[in-house]
Amino acid sequence: MTRELFQDVIDRLRKYYEVEVWDKYQPPPYDVLLEKVKEVDALASLLSDRIDCNLLQQAKKLRIISQYAVGYDNIDIQCATKLGVYVTNTPGVLTEATAELTWALILAVARRIVESDHFVRWGEWDRLKTGWHPHMMLGIELKGKILGIVGLGRIGSRVAEIGVRGFSMRAIYYDTSRNEKIERELGVEYRDLDTLLSEADIVSIHVPLTTQTLHLLNEDRLKKMKKGAILINTARGAVVDTNALVKALREGWIAGAGLDVFEQEPLPMNHPLTAFKNVVLVPHIGSATYESRHAMAELVAENLVAFYEGREPPTLVNREVLRVKPPGFR
Ligand code: NAP
């Protein structure tokens, strides 16, 4: 287990496995992980663990990777499948938490919450000797505005639902496939990506990071957004070209951004993104609620237990592996 999960979950796993936990706050360095995986039958991993083909090839006993995240862009899935290694993730149980964090960012940017907090906390409000002014900290109202969802999966759909039902917004989406059920239920309309970017007042990203979505929002695409629009990313940092985003903010192509994920994590302290007042930055906390993180840990364990018992793990990512080797250690 590459980081300490919850004790009750570790205790459950100890009924099936001998569990070794990496108990430091920082992730195990690649070289350490490389050595450790040579001894293990199963690995409970985090998205910060780079699990490439080199590592997988050296992990001769490894049969299952139970990832503590819904995204698995840190794992070479093709290579794992070829080697008969099962990969599981934790979908669904973090949808609410991530959708709620997305809304926290939308509201924080639209209503300048962090900037306003600094204004009060650091004495600017007091210095100005004006308790209330018609132009103080004006923001953007959401009702009737257009919410653009890039990736209408579990999280994207929930974000759309909150926008339509909670804030009376109109929602449009881009995805590789149409979701007619959600279109019907919420009145969400499909757009190609460029049209979505040119129409939406809030653009919220919910696609996984893949070779197709790497820098999906590049300079050209950011230029297509409205001047008054806000970009929200709670998916993966590399879906947006960071240098292009800095340029967009510096040159005022968009009105602001709310970011939970970054191409480089942790984000360096003096990164250009930290200079913008109209950008809210949080440290990859999309799923960080007690409820969600515990449910994720339970699902990590459930997948490992199912595999141990020779059953198909409930949230198996690479289903083709079933044809390579059956589940179980026998
Ligand atoms: P999901 O249900 O699989 O939704 C992803 C959606 O994106 C699917 O509808 C998918 O369509 C679509 N998609 C995939 N590739 C695309 C492409 N190239 N262009 C357009 N659409 C594409 O996943 P989810 O549970 O909502 O999670 C979404 C992502 O959020 C995860 O992959 C993860 O990286 C991120 N996440 C971040 C946090 C955080 O802490 N910030 C927490 C949870 C999740 P198909 O189904 O047709 O492929």
Side-chain angles (χ1 to χ4, degrees):
M1 188 175 281
T2 67
R3 221 68 57 79
E4 196 169 356
L5 303 184
F6 294 82
Q7 195 54 49
D8 60 320
V9 171
I10 297 173
D11 290 344
R12 177 177 179 213
L13 279 172
R14 288 214 156 105
K15 295 189 182 120
Y16 303 85
Y17 292 87
E18 192 184 312
V19 183
E20 189 185 344
V21 179
W22 178 264
D23 59 5
K24 301 192 175 44
Y25 205 77
Q26 288 73 24
Y30 181 78
D31 292 350
V32 173
L33 194 58
L34 192 66
E35 282 311 306
K36 291 269 179 204
V37 292
K38 289 178 184 164
E39 303 156 24
V40 305
D41 302 295
L43 182 70
S45 62
L46 262 61
L47 50 91
S48 46
D49 302 317
R50 178 158 57 92
I51 302 174
D52 56 16
C53 207
N54 171 46
L55 187 138
L56 286 164
Q57 278 163 344
Q58 298 197 43
K60 300 280 187 234
K61 293 165 71 186
L62 186 66
R63 292 296 322 285
I64 175 166
I65 300 167
S66 186
Q67 166 105 334
Y68 185 65
V70 64
Y72 43 82
D73 44 277
N74 58 311
I75 304 172
D76 187 333
I77 299 292
Q78 238 186 333
C79 183
T81 308
K82 227 186 276 168
L83 295 168
V85 177
Y86 283 57
V87 179
T88 66
N89 65 344
T90 61
V93 292
L94 40 56
T95 297
E96 247 358 273
T98 312
E100 287 176 12
L101 194 267
T102 302
W103 277 99
L105 286 174
I106 294 172
L107 289 166
V109 180
R111 297 306 300 273
R112 304 169 65 176
I113 299 296
V114 176
E115 191 185 345
S116 291
D117 177 273
H118 290 175
F119 182 79
V120 176
R121 195 180 297 263
W122 304 115
E124 193 60 13
W125 194 29
D126 187 24
R127 257 193 305 279
L128 286 172
K129 300 288 169 233
T130 306
W132 196 94
H133 189 282
H135 300 163
M136 191 188 286
M137 290 292 165
L138 299 189
I140 298 165
E141 199 155 304
L142 298 174
K143 186 174 178 182
K145 295 277 174 15
I146 300 180
L147 172 64
I149 302 284
V150 181
L152 195 77
R154 286 171 292 254
I155 299 168
S157 303
R158 182 65 182 131
V159 170
E161 187 183 7
I162 298 170
V164 170
R165 301 229 160 104
F167 291 97
S168 307
M169 295 182 77
R170 279 184 49 214
I172 55 178
Y173 78 100
Y174 165 71
D175 199 297
T176 36
S177 47
R178 296 283 288 261
N179 187 332
E180 277 158 24
K181 184 168 172 274
I182 302 279
E183 286 186 26
R184 239 186 352 264
E185 282 174 9
L186 294 177
V188 181
E189 291 172 20
Y190 182 84
R191 297 284 189 276
D192 63 62
L193 182 57
D194 290 349
T195 309
L196 178 142
L197 293 172
S198 67
E199 288 182 10
D201 299 293
I202 309 284
V203 174
S204 193
I205 302 173
H206 302 287
V207 287
L209 175 61
T210 62
T211 44
Q212 285 80 44
T213 63
L214 176 72
H215 286 188
L216 185 69
L217 268 82
N218 55 20
E219 189 168 325
D220 283 350
R221 293 247 165 77
L222 289 169
K223 274 187 179 148
K224 296 203 160 83
M225 286 178 66
K226 289 193 205 170
K227 249 184 168 341
I230 292 169
L231 178 69
I232 303 292
N233 189 3
T234 59
R236 283 291 181 270
V239 177
V240 180
D241 178 343
T242 308
N243 292 333
L245 176 60
V246 169
K247 200 166 165 193
L249 290 159
R250 200 172 274 149
E251 297 181 9
W253 309 344
I254 62 173
L259 308 171
D260 179 42
V261 288
F262 304 89
E263 288 199 73
Q264 189 187 350
E265 294 180 0
L267 187 74
M269 196 177 138
N270 295 318
H271 192 279
L273 282 172
T274 62
F276 300 107
K277 277 189 180 172
N278 53 345
V279 174
V280 175
L281 307 166
V282 290
H284 204 146
I285 55 168
S287 67
T289 62
Y290 292 105
E291 294 87 346
S292 169
R293 288 283 166 85
H294 191 264
M296 288 162 67
E298 284 181 324
L299 194 45
V300 162
E302 189 48 45
N303 279 308
L304 289 167
V305 170
F307 185 87
Y308 181 94
E309 292 177 340
R311 291 184 283 122
E312 181 184 328
T315 52
L316 181 60
V317 168
N318 54 344
R319 298 205 75 247
E320 316 80 68
V321 76
L322 291 165
R323 276 184 266 132
V324 183
K325 279 184 192 169
F329 293 104
R330 255 169 257 153

